[in-house]
Structure formats: C-alpha cells, structure tokens
Amino acid sequence: MSRSSSLPSGARAQVVTVSDRAYGGVYPDRSGPLLVAGLAELGFAVGPAQVVPDERERITAALRAAVADGIDLVVTTGGTGLGPRDITPEATEDVIERPIPGLAEALRAAGRDAVPAAVLSRGLAGTAAATLVVNLPGSTGGVRDGLGVLAGVIGHAVAQLRGVDDHPVSPGVAGTAD
C-alpha cells in the first residue's frame, strides 16, 4: 500500500476499535494500530485508535464526535459479525445520513476468496455531513483487505465530500456546469 496521490491535502482520519475485551484490557488492540498505520501510509493525519466497548451509545458517541470534529474519514474495526454484542453496524446506522452500499459490498468481497466467512460481515459504509464512515471487521486480515479497497477510492471520496468537483465537464450533458 502506498500513499494515495489523489488524497486532498490535510485529510484527517480517526480509528475506532470496538471491542469489549480490548477496552477491558483482556488483550491488546491489534487491528486498531494496524489500521492507524495503514491510513497514515495512505496520507492521512491520524492519531491513536480510540477503543470503545461493544455498547451502541459509546460507538455512536465516538462516531458523532469525529463527524463534529470535521474528520474526513472515520473507520471502525470490530463488532461487525453475528455475535450478540456485535452492534457496530446498528450504531453506525444511527449516525450515517447516506449509505454507500457499493463500498460495503466491495469490502466484504475483498477477503471472501481467502476467508469465505468474510461475507458474514455486516459492516456498513456511508456519510454523515462531510465525513465518510466505514466499518471493518476486527481481524487484522479484515483490516488489511479493507485498506486495500479503501486505497483505490478514498482520495476520490474525500475530494467529493469536500465539494471538489473532480469530474470532467461535458458540454450539453444534463447536470454539468457550463
């Protein structure tokens, strides 16, 4: 993975690790730091991962705080499976205003050949204000696969959310500027 050449300058990201056990100190957060390093490699200014328990209100609060802070991209890791406490998608749904199902589908598809259970991830992607919110699985493999997908589209997505029109204008085409 290399720095995204199309990423707008000053782009900021926030990582939120959702895990009862990492939050409680039962084991160290491994996927959050990997995600932080990967986003930094793509060119984002990103601080340490914020670790929250699998509690809807805590996840929602972390996402809303990132949106209020004007973060360009907030990525969660963990809580996307079928377990009874896996509620990251529900908390994300409380925050996003416009879903991006194609991105969520691409993220699931990225790991499915190596790990067939990847299709069981319920992660979402969408926007809230000018922030892109993306859910990734809690595994390091799922984070690596997710970063690979994001690397190809994230610069374009952040530019669009910032209102930068990076589409060529075609004369006479409806919806384009003259």
Side-chain angles (χ1 to χ4, degrees):
M1 190 172 14
S2 63
R3 181 180 169 89
S4 175
S5 60
S6 61
L7 189 66
S9 66
R12 297 184 305 145
Q14 172 68 51
V15 172
V16 178
T17 299
V18 181
S19 169
D20 285 334
R21 291 176 286 180
Y23 181 78
V26 174
Y27 60 65
D29 175 18
R30 289 189 176 87
S31 60
L34 179 64
L35 189 49
V36 166
L39 293 172
E41 191 174 329
L42 290 175
F44 284 96
V46 57
Q50 177 183 1
V51 182
V52 299
D54 291 275
E55 296 173 7
R56 191 170 185 156
E57 299 78 20
R58 297 287 297 272
I59 301 164
T60 301
L63 297 177
R64 287 191 172 133
V67 172
D69 194 29
I71 297 293
D72 295 291
L73 171 66
V74 59
V75 185
T76 67
T77 174
T80 63
L82 303 178
R85 293 201 38 91
D86 289 334
I87 55 157
T88 302
E90 289 79 6
T92 301
E93 195 169 45
D94 291 343
V95 175
I96 62 173
E97 299 157 349
R98 297 186 302 162
I100 308 172
L103 180 54
E105 291 161 11
L107 291 164
R108 274 185 282 282
R112 121 179 120 215
D113 290 340
V115 181
V119 300
L120 298 177
S121 173
R122 299 177 312 108
L124 301 177
T127 62
T131 299
L132 177 60
V133 180
V134 176
N135 300 151
L136 294 181
S139 68
T140 56
V143 165
R144 283 186 193 96
D145 290 342
L147 283 166
V149 171
L150 291 174
V153 298
I154 198 64
H156 183 68
V158 170
Q160 284 191 319
L161 286 168
R162 287 185 174 188
V164 176
D165 184 3
D166 59 351
H167 296 288
V169 176
S170 300
V173 177
T176 59
D178 290 304

